[in-house]
Amino acid sequence: MKQAKNSLLIGFLAILLGTLFYSTAQSQEVLTGAERADLYLPMLKGKKVGLVGNQTSILPQSANKHVVDFLLENGIEVKKVFVPEHGFRGTADAGEKVDNSTDQKTGLPIISLYGNNKKPSAEQIKDLDVVIFDLQDVGTRFFTYISTMHYVMEACAEQGKKVVIFDRPNPNGSYVDGPMLKKGFESFVGMHPIPVVHGLTVGELAQMINGEKWLKGGLTTDLEVIPVANWNRNQAYSLPVKPSPNLPSDLAIKLYPSTCFFEGTVMSLGRGTYDPFQMYGYPDPKFGTFTFTPVSIDGMSKTPPHQDKKCYGVDLRGESLDHHFTLSYILDAYQKSGMKEKFFNNFFNTLAGTDELKKQILAGKSEAEIRESWKAGLEEYKQKREKYLIYN
């Protein structure tokens, strides 16, 4: 009897301690890779450093101090900054030309990695020992920051330079979904054989790119990931700053995997409003009772589709932040349109990473039927992905 009581007491204490430990872990602040200076400052001392960064390259727990300023304050020799689509301060519209320039605050040269120069040249990185990549991704195959990362890794692999990833949480990192990229459909909005929602942080994806030898010629780069602390992939994460001009809120980021497909159609997805990716419509009342009028907005969308025209459609701003990828919006709009092939533009297959999805929609297949066709590819991808996960 006494032994049984002791066992019960030990069991109760174990549960209590486990609960206390879990509560403490949950209450700890999430620290991005950039905020874990003890892990990277020693390795950067005495090195010539380049940074791939933009307005998202900040330390949230230090009043959003920019990582460039932090590195310089700590005696790190930052030589230059490379910037992706949308520029260093994140104000360039999607697809807009980003020029080389100088950062007014630090005097550092800024080199654009968008447009004709997507990959750093040998000349641009020859004076560097290390290139840091610190950009906030949103977890979709067509968000171009991960394409920039691929090219940076490739350039560094070719020139024998080290790549350090300052990892950040993926706000869509809790699940994997959507069609896999089909061979022959590679582009800057889809470079890897991964699904639309890939379920990886940039650090995990960088490890996968290396491990699967996806760089040109099967090269691998000298890679180090500075991981996020106190975060797991099922944990909600609210981004401290906009990752790009047209993703202004947590809801826009959650809806983005689903509504981005409208970029490949005749529809407006709300560019030219202050809530892009959170609505869809067309200048015809048959698309819905909700109305909006896209206008030119400097710093967001200068020439939005259907500019200055009243669009009728659907308001998604009441959707839950638990939203996961769905085809329901694109199927709804397609069915209402009656336009058949003319509903799509040439960008749709590029975004989808396959020509199958468009064929399935034209054939009148349901979301359930379309999803069934992804099943095997997604299962194979998930198994491959397992070995690169950091945050289980």
Side-chain angles (χ1 to χ4, degrees):
M1 181 67 79
K2 188 176 178 183
Q3 191 175 3
K5 282 183 178 177
N6 285 342
S7 296
L8 281 170
L9 182 61
I10 290 166
F12 173 74
L13 286 171
I15 292 167
L16 181 63
L17 286 169
T19 304
L20 286 170
F21 176 79
Y22 180 77
S23 300
T24 303
Q26 288 295 95
S27 66
Q28 287 179 310
E29 295 282 6
V30 171
L31 295 177
T32 62
E35 292 169 296
R36 306 189 71 190
D38 56 316
L39 298 183
Y40 63 79
L41 284 180
M43 82 168 82
L44 298 178
K45 291 287 183 187
K47 306 289 186 187
K48 293 178 172 60
V49 175
L51 172 78
V52 183
N54 64 4
Q55 82 285 352
T56 68
S57 311
I58 56 168
L59 286 71
Q61 305 301 330
S62 300
N64 288 352
K65 181 189 288 288
H66 200 285
V67 73
V68 164
D69 301 327
F70 179 78
L71 291 171
L72 292 172
E73 287 168 9
N74 282 274
I76 302 303
E77 189 181 356
V78 182
K79 302 287 289 182
K80 60 191 72 172
V81 176
F82 298 92
V83 298
E85 183 179 8
H86 308 303
F88 188 50
R89 299 297 170 190
T91 54
D93 195 5
E96 187 177 341
K97 189 173 185 292
V98 177
D99 293 318
N100 294 341
S101 58
T102 302
D103 179 37
Q104 291 184 350
K105 184 172 181 182
T106 62
L108 290 172
I110 294 175
I111 299 166
S112 171
L113 294 181
Y114 193 66
N116 295 327
N117 183 49
K118 291 183 173 71
K119 176 177 169 179
S121 67
E123 182 69 22
Q124 288 166 343
I125 62 172
K126 73 175 184 181
D127 59 339
L128 303 176
D129 301 309
V130 179
V131 177
I132 297 167
F133 182 92
D134 185 20
L135 295 174
Q136 176 65 62
D137 185 45
V138 297
T140 63
R141 187 181 65 219
F142 34 61
F143 201 61
T144 61
Y145 295 170
I146 59 173
S147 301
T148 296
M149 181 175 73
H150 176 107
Y151 281 130
V152 168
M153 288 176 65
E154 192 169 277
C156 289
E158 289 168 351
Q159 302 304 318
K161 309 295 183 180
K162 186 180 182 72
V163 176
V164 177
I165 308 286
F166 286 0
D167 213 3
R168 292 179 178 270
N170 175 357
N172 285 310
S174 64
Y175 71 107
V176 169
D177 207 350
M180 295 288 295
L181 183 121
K182 184 176 165 183
K183 193 166 179 58
F185 286 85
E186 296 86 357
S187 72
F188 197 58
V189 291
M191 297 187 70
H192 311 112
I194 60 178
V196 167
V197 185
H198 52 69
L200 297 166
T201 65
V202 288
E204 292 170 328
L205 179 58
Q207 291 184 163
M208 193 173 199
I209 291 169
N210 242 8
E212 298 300 316
K213 299 191 183 301
W214 287 339
L215 299 178
K216 189 170 68 177
L219 288 172
T220 58
T221 191
D222 180 6
L223 177 70
E224 182 141 2
V225 178
I226 307 299
V228 182
N230 310 319
W231 179 77
N232 68 71
R233 59 191 351 95
N234 294 314
Q235 188 176 335
Y237 183 70
S238 179
L239 271 57
V241 296
K242 292 193 293 186
S244 67
N246 284 285
L247 289 177
S249 67
D250 292 336
L251 182 58
I253 290 162
K254 289 290 187 180
L255 289 166
Y256 177 68
S258 307
T259 54
C260 190
F261 279 106
F262 285 117
E263 303 269 37
T265 73
V266 298
M267 306 292 290
S268 165
L269 49 71
R271 286 188 185 274
T273 75
Y274 287 98
D275 299 298
F277 294 99
Q278 299 163 78
M279 60 188 71
Y280 59 93
Y282 187 81
D284 187 328
K286 71 181 177 185
F287 284 89
T289 55
F290 172 68
T291 62
F292 61 94
T293 303
V295 296
S296 179
I297 302 175
D298 196 35
M300 283 188 78
S301 193
K302 292 188 177 74
T303 54
H306 306 302
Q307 184 175 337
D308 301 323
K309 294 176 184 174
K310 190 177 194 176
C311 291
Y312 300 80
V314 178
D315 184 0
L316 301 174
R317 290 174 296 180
E319 286 286 314
S320 166
L321 279 173
D322 292 330
H323 175 86
H324 280 198
F325 174 72
T326 179
L327 290 174
S328 61
Y329 309 141
I330 202 86
L331 293 175
D332 166 65
Y334 170 77
Q335 286 155 8
K336 286 174 180 171
S337 77
M339 294 178 185
K340 305 286 185 186
E341 182 86 33
K342 290 180 180 175
F343 177 77
F344 303 95
N345 63 36
N346 293 334
F347 194 43
F348 188 84
N349 288 348
T350 306
L351 273 177
T354 173
D355 56 355
E356 291 302 316
L357 180 58
K358 180 179 169 182
K359 288 175 185 174
Q360 290 166 327
I361 295 172
L362 288 169
K365 291 190 180 291
S366 68
E367 177 158 8
E369 289 172 313
I370 295 170
R371 282 183 169 281
E372 189 61 31
S373 71
W374 304 338
K375 206 169 179 181
L378 285 177
E379 282 308 311
E380 186 182 338
Y381 167 75
K382 284 177 185 175
Q383 288 177 18
K384 192 179 289 185
R385 164 181 169 266
E386 275 293 320
K387 56 188 170 187
Y388 303 109
L389 298 180
I390 299 170
Y391 314 96
N392 285 324

